[in-house]
Amino acid sequence: MAPRRMEEIPVKRMPALGCRLASRLPRGEILTDITQNKWRLGDAIGCGGFGDIYLASDDLTKPVGYNSKYVIKIEPHNNGPLFVEMNVYIRALRKPMIESWCKSQGKRRVGVPTYEGSGSHVYQGERYRFLVIPRYAGDVGKLFIAHGRKLSTKIVNSLAVQMLDSLEYVHSQGYAHADVKGSNILLANNSLGLEIEKTKAFLVDYGLAYRFRTGTGAHKPFLHDERRAHEGTMEFTSRDAHHGTHSRRGDLETLGYNLLQWLCGKLPWENEEGGLSPTVNPEDIHVQKEIFFSDVLLSMQQCFSGKNKAPDNLTEYFQYISRLGFESKPNYSYLRSLFWKGSQLEENILAYVNGGISNENFFCIKLDNRPYLRERKPCRPVNGDVRITRNAQPIIPKKVLEFSWEEVLARHPDKLAKISVHPPPSPLTPPPSPPPIQKTPSLPTYAMLNVLQKMKERQTGICRHKTTSKSSDNELKPKWMTPAMEEIAQLRKRSLELIAQSRKSGSDNSRRLTRSRSATLKRLESNSLAKLDAKKRKTFA
């Protein structure tokens, strides 16, 4: 069924907070992308808070019909989401990149759109940014409403497996989608019949995508960011997104909320008819999600109370997310196996769970009860006659180790003391405390004793002199005096000695100290002091 014209759809265009909507572009407008490919616009088939979506075609010779294979998203240059989305498409969603990844993973397809073109366009003096992507049919959100707010288990399982494939690819390129919801999951055809579970689904809208890897390939740490707190659609926002950060586990958590809503009809924090109140506090929703993950089993029973039993696969899905670390790489193969019906992996689910969570390494499990999955060993002949195959290896009995005191006592005592007697630490017990540090070595060498003696003498203030031939003047003189200052001090000392000697000689004589003799002594003292001052000024000049 062809979609109706935009004029027939009674939808009021409402701009997002901090953004504005541009004027509609006319039908038939020609746009040129960055690779000089030209695109013709058709009718507008959708609108959002940031821009509009138009039908488009690369055939410029005829008008764009409703069976066109492409759509173009257009928004003003001042808005930001389409700029982010264009970068994601150019960096991660080009067709050769998707084909190369599918080939390396052994997959026929992955549900992500491909990059077809992008660029800028000027219309009536206003600049627009546009992005060209393939056209798909209706979204899962409309399908959910059309089926009375309830989807069958078969449809949910099919969508879960396809979305896990899509998220695995997006995460492999270093991005988190950050806005997984039904309206962003598009179907390849618009059929609402019984074969809907076989329809191909595609994860679109990367306007809120978050690059969780740095330029060096390391995972960004967990940081609370008030600017991006509670970002996304509130019903499905992950606990990490409530803090303003995103990761791979946040996308898996958001997908889990969608799966739960499709099966139950509503989430625990939604109204009875679905949705949230416009005045709801985001912090209250965050608290309810934390309570949900505090006891997954009880929360799932409350969601399915009075109805069928809570699905075991969805319960285990949420339990796995509750154990997943912020920077840990999810085990996508195990999560897909939860939703595969009749899969051979269903009977080995416990083997996948054993060991918990993998961190940046693929979670590999050896299943010893499957002979065709055992470790491959080279064939080796026995006596040159009989050929032993991989599945017929000889059983070699293990040697039973017997305890012997003689072997223990025969060991070297130092090596025996190094053997740890503590049991291996468990995750529930703290590690053993380190041994105390000795203050002094048990057997110091002569050089160590000499160093210790010097340190002791330095602490007690004892200074050992290497030579004792120095004069008393040199020993008593301050170490901070320069040679010029020492010369001045010596002159001052000699003048004082002369004055003292003259006074002493005067006291020894029996002559009386007259006024003339006193004036002579003062004149000698003043002359010596004047010479000393002149010498000092000359030195420091």
Side-chain angles (χ1 to χ4, degrees):
M1 177 180 177
R4 293 182 294 169
R5 293 179 178 270
M6 192 64 192
E7 292 78 6
E8 301 176 2
I9 303 176
V11 178
K12 186 177 180 180
R13 302 175 69 200
M14 294 292 294
L17 184 64
C19 300
R20 67 181 184 87
L21 294 177
S23 303
R24 287 277 175 80
L25 271 66
R27 178 185 174 93
E29 184 77 5
I30 304 298
L31 282 67
T32 306
D33 61 17
I34 57 177
T35 59
Q36 302 304 313
N37 292 329
K38 297 185 180 298
W39 306 88
R40 178 186 289 272
L41 284 185
D43 293 331
I45 59 173
C47 65
F50 303 100
D52 300 318
I53 302 177
Y54 297 81
L55 295 175
S57 173
D58 55 351
D59 188 358
L60 307 180
T61 60
K62 55 184 178 180
V64 181
Y66 287 110
N67 57 347
S68 63
K69 298 187 297 181
Y70 304 100
V71 295
I72 293 183
K73 301 180 70 173
I74 300 178
E75 72 176 27
H77 251 269
N78 296 331
N79 297 349
L82 190 57
F83 174 78
V84 176
E85 190 169 9
M86 285 172 55
N87 276 273
V88 175
Y89 271 87
I90 294 173
R91 294 171 180 264
L93 296 176
R94 286 179 293 174
K95 192 175 298 184
M97 300 174 63
I98 299 174
E99 293 175 352
S100 176
W101 186 84
C102 290
K103 185 177 179 180
S104 64
Q105 300 294 322
K107 298 181 182 295
R108 291 179 296 177
R109 57 169 293 273
V110 60
V112 293
T114 57
Y115 170 78
E116 302 294 338
S118 63
S120 298
H121 182 72
V122 179
Y123 177 72
Q124 293 184 351
E126 186 175 2
R127 295 187 66 192
Y128 295 87
R129 183 183 290 115
F130 68 91
L131 173 67
V132 186
I133 59 175
R135 183 193 178 189
Y136 303 106
D139 59 75
V140 177
K142 295 178 181 178
L143 181 67
F144 176 65
I145 300 298
H147 282 71
R149 298 187 62 85
K150 190 69 66 67
L151 295 179
S152 66
T153 304
K154 195 172 183 180
I155 296 176
V156 172
N157 289 345
S158 175
L159 292 173
V161 173
Q162 294 186 69
M163 289 302 101
L164 286 171
D165 286 339
S166 303
L167 290 177
E168 183 179 8
Y169 173 76
V170 175
H171 295 167
S172 68
Q173 304 301 318
Y175 285 94
H177 187 277
D179 196 20
V180 181
K181 57 182 178 180
S183 57
N184 289 338
I185 302 175
L186 302 183
L187 304 175
N189 57 60
N190 204 24
S191 173
L192 299 180
L194 299 177
E195 299 297 324
I196 187 64
E197 62 274 3
K198 297 182 180 180
T199 303
K200 299 177 182 179
F202 296 84
L203 181 62
V204 300
D205 197 349
Y206 296 84
L208 297 179
Y210 178 80
R211 191 171 181 84
F212 65 87
R213 290 195 183 279
T214 61
T216 60
H219 197 293
K220 293 182 180 179
F222 182 92
L223 294 175
H224 182 83
D225 189 356
E226 287 290 344
R227 299 171 300 175
R228 303 191 61 168
H230 316 295
E231 193 175 51
T233 306
M234 195 61 58
E235 296 94 314
F236 313 109
T237 300
S238 66
R239 295 167 296 166
D240 294 333
H242 279 290
H243 288 286
T245 185
H246 301 278
S247 64
R248 291 169 287 192
R249 76 172 181 183
D251 280 348
L252 297 180
E253 180 180 338
T254 303
L255 176 61
Y257 293 149
N258 284 272
L259 301 178
L260 181 61
Q261 185 194 55
W262 297 338
L263 291 174
C264 290
K266 74 178 192 67
L267 294 171
W269 41 86
E270 285 186 307
N271 301 326
E272 289 298 329
E273 63 278 3
L276 298 176
S277 173
T279 60
V280 68
N281 186 3
E283 292 293 344
D284 297 338
I285 304 299
H286 184 196
V287 171
Q288 294 188 53
K289 293 175 183 177
E290 294 287 353
I291 295 174
F292 178 88
F293 275 94
S294 62
D295 191 343
V296 175
L297 289 175
L298 179 61
S299 301
M300 292 295 291
Q301 291 176 3
Q302 293 175 354
C303 291
F304 289 86
S305 60
K307 306 174 185 178
N308 297 331
K309 180 184 175 182
D312 294 336
N313 56 356
L314 188 57
T315 302
E316 179 56 38
Y317 180 87
F318 281 113
Q319 288 179 338
Y320 180 87
I321 295 174
S322 66
R323 299 189 298 265
L324 192 63
F326 178 76
E327 300 182 7
S328 300
K329 179 181 179 181
N331 185 1
Y332 303 96
S333 299
Y334 163 66
L335 296 176
R336 280 189 293 264
S337 71
L338 295 176
F339 302 96
W340 283 341
K341 291 299 180 181
S343 174
Q344 296 179 352
L345 295 176
E346 288 184 352
E347 59 187 17
N348 295 287
I349 285 178
L350 294 178
Y352 279 88
V353 183
N354 187 21
I357 303 154
S358 63
N359 186 11
E360 296 302 327
N361 295 318
F362 189 77
F363 194 83
C364 298
I365 295 133
K366 289 177 62 177
L367 303 176
D368 295 334
N369 58 342
R370 297 186 179 188
Y372 52 86
L373 292 180
R374 289 185 302 177
E375 183 181 0
R376 297 174 65 89
K377 298 180 180 180
C379 302
R380 56 185 181 86
V382 177
N383 297 329
D385 298 330
V386 183
R387 185 177 183 272
I388 304 299
T389 62
R390 297 186 182 95
N391 294 331
Q393 295 290 339
I395 300 176
I396 303 175
K398 296 183 179 180
K399 182 180 179 180
V400 180
L401 299 178
E402 297 180 358
F403 180 77
S404 174
W405 276 108
E406 295 180 356
E407 296 181 1
V408 174
L409 296 177
R411 298 177 182 176
H412 194 279
D414 293 340
K415 295 182 179 180
L416 184 62
K418 292 181 181 179
I419 300 176
S420 175
V421 296
H422 299 283
S426 64
L428 301 179
T429 58
S433 58
I437 302 175
Q438 298 181 358
K439 295 183 179 180
T440 57
S442 57
L443 295 175
T445 62
Y446 292 107
M448 297 171 65
L449 291 174
N450 191 16
V451 172
L452 292 175
Q453 183 64 24
K454 289 182 179 180
M455 293 174 60
K456 186 176 180 181
E457 291 176 357
R458 193 179 299 111
Q459 292 175 358
T460 56
I462 299 176
C463 182
R464 299 177 60 185
H465 299 282
K466 296 182 179 179
T467 59
T468 58
S469 61
K470 296 181 180 179
S471 63
S472 60
D473 294 340
N474 293 335
E475 290 179 358
L476 298 177
K477 69 179 181 181
K479 295 182 178 181
W480 50 266
M481 294 180 66
T482 62
M485 298 171 66
E486 292 176 6
E487 186 178 356
I488 294 173
Q490 292 293 338
L491 292 174
R492 185 180 182 87
K493 184 178 179 181
R494 290 174 186 174
S495 64
L496 293 175
E497 288 177 354
L498 289 174
I499 294 172
Q501 186 178 2
S502 62
R503 288 179 178 177
K504 185 177 180 181
S505 61
S507 62
D508 292 342
N509 295 332
S510 58
R511 292 182 302 172
R512 185 173 57 88
L513 185 63
T514 61
R515 289 183 179 179
S516 60
R517 188 171 181 79
S518 177
T520 303
L521 291 175
K522 288 183 178 180
R523 186 171 61 253
L524 291 173
E525 183 177 357
S526 62
N527 291 337
S528 62
L529 292 176
K531 291 180 180 180
L532 182 63
D533 293 338
K535 181 70 174 178
K536 185 176 181 181
R537 287 195 298 271
K538 184 179 180 181
T539 302
F540 287 99

